[in-house]
PDB file of all heavy atoms in Angstrom:
ATOM      1  N   ASP A 523       1.517 -31.755  83.730  1.00  0.00           N
ATOM      2  CA  ASP A 523       1.576 -30.401  84.332  1.00  0.00           C
ATOM      3  C   ASP A 523       0.387 -30.188  85.246  1.00  0.00           C
ATOM      4  O   ASP A 523       0.542 -29.479  86.364  1.00  0.00           O
ATOM      5  CB  ASP A 523       1.570 -29.333  83.273  1.00  0.00           C
ATOM      6  CG  ASP A 523       2.912 -29.061  82.682  1.00  0.00           C
ATOM      7  OD1 ASP A 523       3.929 -29.474  83.329  1.00  0.00           O
ATOM      8  OD2 ASP A 523       3.042 -28.517  81.569  1.00  0.00           O
ATOM      9  N   ILE A 524      -0.712 -30.638  84.895  1.00  0.00           N
ATOM     10  CA  ILE A 524      -1.925 -30.242  85.612  1.00  0.00           C
ATOM     11  C   ILE A 524      -2.417 -31.278  86.627  1.00  0.00           C
ATOM     12  O   ILE A 524      -3.029 -30.939  87.644  1.00  0.00           O
ATOM     13  CB  ILE A 524      -3.057 -29.939  84.550  1.00  0.00           C
ATOM     14  CG1 ILE A 524      -2.662 -28.680  83.789  1.00  0.00           C
ATOM     15  CG2 ILE A 524      -4.412 -29.766  85.252  1.00  0.00           C
ATOM     16  CD1 ILE A 524      -3.638 -28.260  82.775  1.00  0.00           C
ATOM     17  N   GLY A 525      -2.150 -32.550  86.333  1.00  0.00           N
ATOM     18  CA  GLY A 525      -2.668 -33.601  87.272  1.00  0.00           C
ATOM     19  C   GLY A 525      -4.103 -33.850  87.032  1.00  0.00           C
ATOM     20  O   GLY A 525      -4.500 -34.172  85.931  1.00  0.00           O
ATOM     21  N   ASP A 526      -4.815 -33.681  88.064  1.00  0.00           N
ATOM     22  CA  ASP A 526      -6.297 -34.076  88.005  1.00  0.00           C
ATOM     23  C   ASP A 526      -7.178 -33.149  87.230  1.00  0.00           C
ATOM     24  O   ASP A 526      -7.240 -31.939  87.587  1.00  0.00           O
ATOM     25  CB  ASP A 526      -6.743 -34.265  89.463  1.00  0.00           C
ATOM     26  CG  ASP A 526      -8.134 -34.752  89.467  1.00  0.00           C
ATOM     27  OD1 ASP A 526      -8.400 -35.899  88.987  1.00  0.00           O
ATOM     28  OD2 ASP A 526      -9.044 -34.078  89.987  1.00  0.00           O
ATOM     29  N   TYR A 527      -7.860 -33.679  86.285  1.00  0.00           N
ATOM     30  CA  TYR A 527      -8.714 -32.810  85.418  1.00  0.00           C
ATOM     31  C   TYR A 527      -9.848 -32.102  86.211  1.00  0.00           C
ATOM     32  O   TYR A 527     -10.031 -30.958  86.022  1.00  0.00           O
ATOM     33  CB  TYR A 527      -9.305 -33.736  84.340  1.00  0.00           C
ATOM     34  CG  TYR A 527     -10.317 -32.999  83.421  1.00  0.00           C
ATOM     35  CD1 TYR A 527      -9.919 -32.345  82.310  1.00  0.00           C
ATOM     36  CD2 TYR A 527     -11.668 -33.004  83.768  1.00  0.00           C
ATOM     37  CE1 TYR A 527     -10.849 -31.699  81.508  1.00  0.00           C
ATOM     38  CE2 TYR A 527     -12.595 -32.345  82.946  1.00  0.00           C
ATOM     39  CZ  TYR A 527     -12.157 -31.730  81.804  1.00  0.00           C
ATOM     40  OH  TYR A 527     -13.104 -31.127  80.969  1.00  0.00           O
ATOM     41  N   ASP A 528     -10.447 -32.925  87.065  1.00  0.00           N
ATOM     42  CA  ASP A 528     -11.619 -32.284  87.712  1.00  0.00           C
ATOM     43  C   ASP A 528     -11.209 -31.190  88.748  1.00  0.00           C
ATOM     44  O   ASP A 528     -11.827 -30.165  88.901  1.00  0.00           O
ATOM     45  CB  ASP A 528     -12.374 -33.410  88.514  1.00  0.00           C
ATOM     46  CG  ASP A 528     -13.147 -34.248  87.515  1.00  0.00           C
ATOM     47  OD1 ASP A 528     -14.001 -33.705  86.818  1.00  0.00           O
ATOM     48  OD2 ASP A 528     -12.880 -35.440  87.417  1.00  0.00           O
ATOM     49  N   ARG A 529     -10.087 -31.370  89.227  1.00  0.00           N
ATOM     50  CA  ARG A 529      -9.519 -30.320  90.194  1.00  0.00           C
ATOM     51  C   ARG A 529      -9.157 -29.050  89.386  1.00  0.00           C
ATOM     52  O   ARG A 529      -9.430 -27.971  89.805  1.00  0.00           O
ATOM     53  CB  ARG A 529      -8.311 -30.919  90.974  1.00  0.00           C
ATOM     54  CG  ARG A 529      -7.981 -30.034  92.093  1.00  0.00           C
ATOM     55  CD  ARG A 529      -7.061 -30.663  93.115  1.00  0.00           C
ATOM     56  NE  ARG A 529      -6.311 -29.529  93.655  1.00  0.00           N
ATOM     57  CZ  ARG A 529      -5.037 -29.573  93.921  1.00  0.00           C
ATOM     58  NH1 ARG A 529      -4.293 -30.674  93.659  1.00  0.00           N
ATOM     59  NH2 ARG A 529      -4.448 -28.522  94.444  1.00  0.00           N
ATOM     60  N   PHE A 530      -8.577 -29.344  88.251  1.00  0.00           N
ATOM     61  CA  PHE A 530      -8.231 -28.191  87.374  1.00  0.00           C
ATOM     62  C   PHE A 530      -9.471 -27.423  86.990  1.00  0.00           C
ATOM     63  O   PHE A 530      -9.530 -26.185  87.035  1.00  0.00           O
ATOM     64  CB  PHE A 530      -7.508 -28.712  86.097  1.00  0.00           C
ATOM     65  CG  PHE A 530      -7.335 -27.755  85.001  1.00  0.00           C
ATOM     66  CD1 PHE A 530      -6.787 -26.448  85.214  1.00  0.00           C
ATOM     67  CD2 PHE A 530      -7.611 -28.157  83.657  1.00  0.00           C
ATOM     68  CE1 PHE A 530      -6.643 -25.597  84.176  1.00  0.00           C
ATOM     69  CE2 PHE A 530      -7.482 -27.250  82.601  1.00  0.00           C
ATOM     70  CZ  PHE A 530      -6.985 -25.948  82.891  1.00  0.00           C
ATOM     71  N   LYS A 531     -10.522 -28.144  86.617  1.00  0.00           N
ATOM     72  CA  LYS A 531     -11.780 -27.483  86.195  1.00  0.00           C
ATOM     73  C   LYS A 531     -12.316 -26.673  87.390  1.00  0.00           C
ATOM     74  O   LYS A 531     -12.779 -25.553  87.210  1.00  0.00           O
ATOM     75  CB  LYS A 531     -12.805 -28.608  85.822  1.00  0.00           C
ATOM     76  CG  LYS A 531     -14.156 -28.019  85.422  1.00  0.00           C
ATOM     77  CD  LYS A 531     -14.996 -29.116  84.743  1.00  0.00           C
ATOM     78  CE  LYS A 531     -16.471 -28.737  84.682  1.00  0.00           C
ATOM     79  NZ  LYS A 531     -16.790 -27.459  84.175  1.00  0.00           N
ATOM     80  N   GLU A 532     -12.164 -27.283  88.585  1.00  0.00           N
ATOM     81  CA  GLU A 532     -12.736 -26.522  89.702  1.00  0.00           C
ATOM     82  C   GLU A 532     -11.918 -25.238  90.011  1.00  0.00           C
ATOM     83  O   GLU A 532     -12.466 -24.235  90.294  1.00  0.00           O
ATOM     84  CB  GLU A 532     -12.616 -27.544  90.937  1.00  0.00           C
ATOM     85  CG  GLU A 532     -13.350 -26.958  92.207  1.00  0.00           C
ATOM     86  CD  GLU A 532     -13.023 -27.873  93.292  1.00  0.00           C
ATOM     87  OE1 GLU A 532     -12.961 -29.081  93.144  1.00  0.00           O
ATOM     88  OE2 GLU A 532     -12.949 -27.369  94.431  1.00  0.00           O
ATOM     89  N   GLU A 533     -10.544 -25.374  89.938  1.00  0.00           N
ATOM     90  CA  GLU A 533      -9.750 -24.235  90.301  1.00  0.00           C
ATOM     91  C   GLU A 533      -9.726 -23.259  89.149  1.00  0.00           C
ATOM     92  O   GLU A 533      -9.532 -22.062  89.388  1.00  0.00           O
ATOM     93  CB  GLU A 533      -8.353 -24.693  90.654  1.00  0.00           C
ATOM     94  CG  GLU A 533      -8.354 -25.471  91.957  1.00  0.00           C
ATOM     95  CD  GLU A 533      -7.048 -26.101  92.270  1.00  0.00           C
ATOM     96  OE1 GLU A 533      -6.098 -26.068  91.449  1.00  0.00           O
ATOM     97  OE2 GLU A 533      -6.903 -26.655  93.413  1.00  0.00           O
ATOM     98  N   GLY A 534      -9.852 -23.673  87.957  1.00  0.00           N
ATOM     99  CA  GLY A 534      -9.981 -22.804  86.776  1.00  0.00           C
ATOM    100  C   GLY A 534      -8.667 -22.318  86.194  1.00  0.00           C
ATOM    101  O   GLY A 534      -8.653 -21.822  85.049  1.00  0.00           O
ATOM    102  N   VAL A 535      -7.614 -22.437  86.929  1.00  0.00           N
ATOM    103  CA  VAL A 535      -6.283 -21.972  86.347  1.00  0.00           C
ATOM    104  C   VAL A 535      -5.155 -22.740  86.865  1.00  0.00           C
ATOM    105  O   VAL A 535      -5.203 -23.217  88.081  1.00  0.00           O
ATOM    106  CB  VAL A 535      -6.152 -20.420  86.604  1.00  0.00           C
ATOM    107  CG1 VAL A 535      -6.075 -20.085  88.030  1.00  0.00           C
ATOM    108  CG2 VAL A 535      -4.883 -19.934  85.852  1.00  0.00           C
ATOM    109  N   ARG A 536      -4.123 -23.064  86.161  1.00  0.00           N
ATOM    110  CA  ARG A 536      -3.009 -23.689  86.633  1.00  0.00           C
ATOM    111  C   ARG A 536      -1.805 -22.971  86.081  1.00  0.00           C
ATOM    112  O   ARG A 536      -1.607 -22.953  84.877  1.00  0.00           O
ATOM    113  CB  ARG A 536      -2.974 -25.195  86.239  1.00  0.00           C
ATOM    114  CG  ARG A 536      -1.775 -25.922  86.740  1.00  0.00           C
ATOM    115  CD  ARG A 536      -1.707 -26.032  88.331  1.00  0.00           C
ATOM    116  NE  ARG A 536      -2.924 -26.444  88.896  1.00  0.00           N
ATOM    117  CZ  ARG A 536      -3.253 -27.806  89.048  1.00  0.00           C
ATOM    118  NH1 ARG A 536      -2.499 -28.679  88.635  1.00  0.00           N
ATOM    119  NH2 ARG A 536      -4.450 -28.058  89.639  1.00  0.00           N
ATOM    120  N   LYS A 537      -1.045 -22.279  87.001  1.00  0.00           N
ATOM    121  CA  LYS A 537       0.235 -21.664  86.549  1.00  0.00           C
ATOM    122  C   LYS A 537       1.348 -22.741  86.711  1.00  0.00           C
ATOM    123  O   LYS A 537       1.546 -23.175  87.824  1.00  0.00           O
ATOM    124  CB  LYS A 537       0.440 -20.438  87.378  1.00  0.00           C
ATOM    125  CG  LYS A 537      -0.703 -19.401  87.191  1.00  0.00           C
ATOM    126  CD  LYS A 537      -0.608 -18.212  88.153  1.00  0.00           C
ATOM    127  CE  LYS A 537      -1.849 -17.340  87.948  1.00  0.00           C
ATOM    128  NZ  LYS A 537      -1.957 -16.226  88.924  1.00  0.00           N
ATOM    129  N   ILE A 538       2.089 -22.883  85.630  1.00  0.00           N
ATOM    130  CA  ILE A 538       3.206 -23.832  85.726  1.00  0.00           C
ATOM    131  C   ILE A 538       4.497 -23.098  86.056  1.00  0.00           C
ATOM    132  O   ILE A 538       4.817 -22.134  85.392  1.00  0.00           O
ATOM    133  CB  ILE A 538       3.414 -24.486  84.309  1.00  0.00           C
ATOM    134  CG1 ILE A 538       1.998 -24.950  83.693  1.00  0.00           C
ATOM    135  CG2 ILE A 538       4.360 -25.719  84.399  1.00  0.00           C
ATOM    136  CD1 ILE A 538       1.359 -25.993  84.374  1.00  0.00           C
ATOM    137  N   ARG A 539       5.210 -23.595  87.062  1.00  0.00           N
ATOM    138  CA  ARG A 539       6.508 -22.955  87.394  1.00  0.00           C
ATOM    139  C   ARG A 539       7.588 -23.683  86.773  1.00  0.00           C
ATOM    140  O   ARG A 539       7.688 -24.874  86.932  1.00  0.00           O
ATOM    141  CB  ARG A 539       6.664 -23.042  88.955  1.00  0.00           C
ATOM    142  CG  ARG A 539       5.475 -22.606  89.742  1.00  0.00           C
ATOM    143  CD  ARG A 539       5.659 -21.183  90.214  1.00  0.00           C
ATOM    144  NE  ARG A 539       4.376 -20.592  90.548  1.00  0.00           N
ATOM    145  CZ  ARG A 539       3.981 -19.392  90.219  1.00  0.00           C
ATOM    146  NH1 ARG A 539       4.707 -18.599  89.513  1.00  0.00           N
ATOM    147  NH2 ARG A 539       2.811 -18.933  90.659  1.00  0.00           N
ATOM    148  N   PHE A 540       8.463 -23.015  86.137  1.00  0.00           N
ATOM    149  CA  PHE A 540       9.715 -23.540  85.605  1.00  0.00           C
ATOM    150  C   PHE A 540      10.816 -23.046  86.556  1.00  0.00           C
ATOM    151  O   PHE A 540      10.747 -21.812  87.021  1.00  0.00           O
ATOM    152  CB  PHE A 540       9.980 -23.191  84.175  1.00  0.00           C
ATOM    153  CG  PHE A 540       8.922 -23.774  83.242  1.00  0.00           C
ATOM    154  CD1 PHE A 540       8.084 -22.885  82.502  1.00  0.00           C
ATOM    155  CD2 PHE A 540       8.716 -25.096  83.152  1.00  0.00           C
ATOM    156  CE1 PHE A 540       7.077 -23.372  81.667  1.00  0.00           C
ATOM    157  CE2 PHE A 540       7.765 -25.622  82.274  1.00  0.00           C
ATOM    158  CZ  PHE A 540       6.960 -24.819  81.529  1.00  0.00           C
ATOM    159  N   PRO A 541      11.962 -23.785  86.752  1.00  0.00           N
ATOM    160  CA  PRO A 541      12.943 -23.328  87.641  1.00  0.00           C
ATOM    161  C   PRO A 541      13.546 -22.020  87.123  1.00  0.00           C
ATOM    162  O   PRO A 541      13.975 -21.149  87.891  1.00  0.00           O
ATOM    163  CB  PRO A 541      14.021 -24.448  87.528  1.00  0.00           C
ATOM    164  CG  PRO A 541      13.332 -25.552  86.870  1.00  0.00           C
ATOM    165  CD  PRO A 541      12.062 -25.148  86.224  1.00  0.00           C
ATOM    166  N   GLU A 542      13.630 -21.834  85.799  1.00  0.00           N
ATOM    167  CA  GLU A 542      14.087 -20.603  85.201  1.00  0.00           C
ATOM    168  C   GLU A 542      13.362 -20.383  83.900  1.00  0.00           C
ATOM    169  O   GLU A 542      12.721 -21.277  83.353  1.00  0.00           O
ATOM    170  CB  GLU A 542      15.564 -20.626  85.075  1.00  0.00           C
ATOM    171  CG  GLU A 542      16.129 -21.735  84.276  1.00  0.00           C
ATOM    172  CD  GLU A 542      17.658 -21.665  84.082  1.00  0.00           C
ATOM    173  OE1 GLU A 542      18.331 -20.971  84.845  1.00  0.00           O
ATOM    174  OE2 GLU A 542      18.132 -22.345  83.216  1.00  0.00           O
ATOM    175  N   PRO A 543      13.502 -19.111  83.360  1.00  0.00           N
ATOM    176  CA  PRO A 543      12.801 -18.876  82.158  1.00  0.00           C
ATOM    177  C   PRO A 543      13.211 -19.790  81.018  1.00  0.00           C
ATOM    178  O   PRO A 543      14.353 -20.273  80.989  1.00  0.00           O
ATOM    179  CB  PRO A 543      13.210 -17.421  81.765  1.00  0.00           C
ATOM    180  CG  PRO A 543      13.634 -16.813  83.031  1.00  0.00           C
ATOM    181  CD  PRO A 543      14.200 -17.960  83.889  1.00  0.00           C
ATOM    182  N   LEU A 544      12.262 -20.101  80.082  1.00  0.00           N
ATOM    183  CA  LEU A 544      12.681 -20.943  78.981  1.00  0.00           C
ATOM    184  C   LEU A 544      13.200 -20.122  77.897  1.00  0.00           C
ATOM    185  O   LEU A 544      12.738 -18.953  77.643  1.00  0.00           O
ATOM    186  CB  LEU A 544      11.315 -21.681  78.457  1.00  0.00           C
ATOM    187  CG  LEU A 544      10.574 -22.564  79.419  1.00  0.00           C
ATOM    188  CD1 LEU A 544       9.399 -23.139  78.758  1.00  0.00           C
ATOM    189  CD2 LEU A 544      11.360 -23.602  80.058  1.00  0.00           C
ATOM    190  N   ILE A 545      14.245 -20.690  77.217  1.00  0.00           N
ATOM    191  CA  ILE A 545      14.778 -19.886  76.105  1.00  0.00           C
ATOM    192  C   ILE A 545      14.855 -20.774  74.840  1.00  0.00           C
ATOM    193  O   ILE A 545      14.794 -21.955  74.850  1.00  0.00           O
ATOM    194  CB  ILE A 545      16.202 -19.324  76.481  1.00  0.00           C
ATOM    195  CG1 ILE A 545      17.111 -20.514  76.749  1.00  0.00           C
ATOM    196  CG2 ILE A 545      16.129 -18.410  77.627  1.00  0.00           C
ATOM    197  CD1 ILE A 545      18.582 -20.032  76.979  1.00  0.00           C
ATOM    198  N   ALA A 546      14.977 -20.033  73.755  1.00  0.00           N
ATOM    199  CA  ALA A 546      14.897 -20.701  72.474  1.00  0.00           C
ATOM    200  C   ALA A 546      16.296 -21.286  72.088  1.00  0.00           C
ATOM    201  O   ALA A 546      17.286 -20.678  72.421  1.00  0.00           O
ATOM    202  CB  ALA A 546      14.510 -19.696  71.356  1.00  0.00           C
ATOM    203  N   PHE A 547      16.237 -22.415  71.456  1.00  0.00           N
ATOM    204  CA  PHE A 547      17.472 -23.093  70.939  1.00  0.00           C
ATOM    205  C   PHE A 547      18.567 -23.281  71.941  1.00  0.00           C
ATOM    206  O   PHE A 547      19.756 -23.264  71.579  1.00  0.00           O
ATOM    207  CB  PHE A 547      17.996 -22.222  69.734  1.00  0.00           C
ATOM    208  CG  PHE A 547      17.026 -21.994  68.638  1.00  0.00           C
ATOM    209  CD1 PHE A 547      16.652 -20.637  68.321  1.00  0.00           C
ATOM    210  CD2 PHE A 547      16.378 -23.024  68.006  1.00  0.00           C
ATOM    211  CE1 PHE A 547      15.693 -20.419  67.352  1.00  0.00           C
ATOM    212  CE2 PHE A 547      15.453 -22.769  66.946  1.00  0.00           C
ATOM    213  CZ  PHE A 547      15.079 -21.471  66.672  1.00  0.00           C
TER     214      PHE A 547
END
Side-chain angles (χ1 to χ4, degrees):
D523 278 342
I524 292 180
D526 183 59
Y527 174 89
D528 288 300
R529 196 165 148 223
F530 168 48
K531 177 167 165 51
E532 187 188 327
E533 290 174 354
V535 61
R536 181 63 52 83
K537 297 172 186 173
I538 316 291
R539 309 260 163 224
F540 296 117
E542 52 178 19
L544 302 180
I545 61 175
F547 304 121

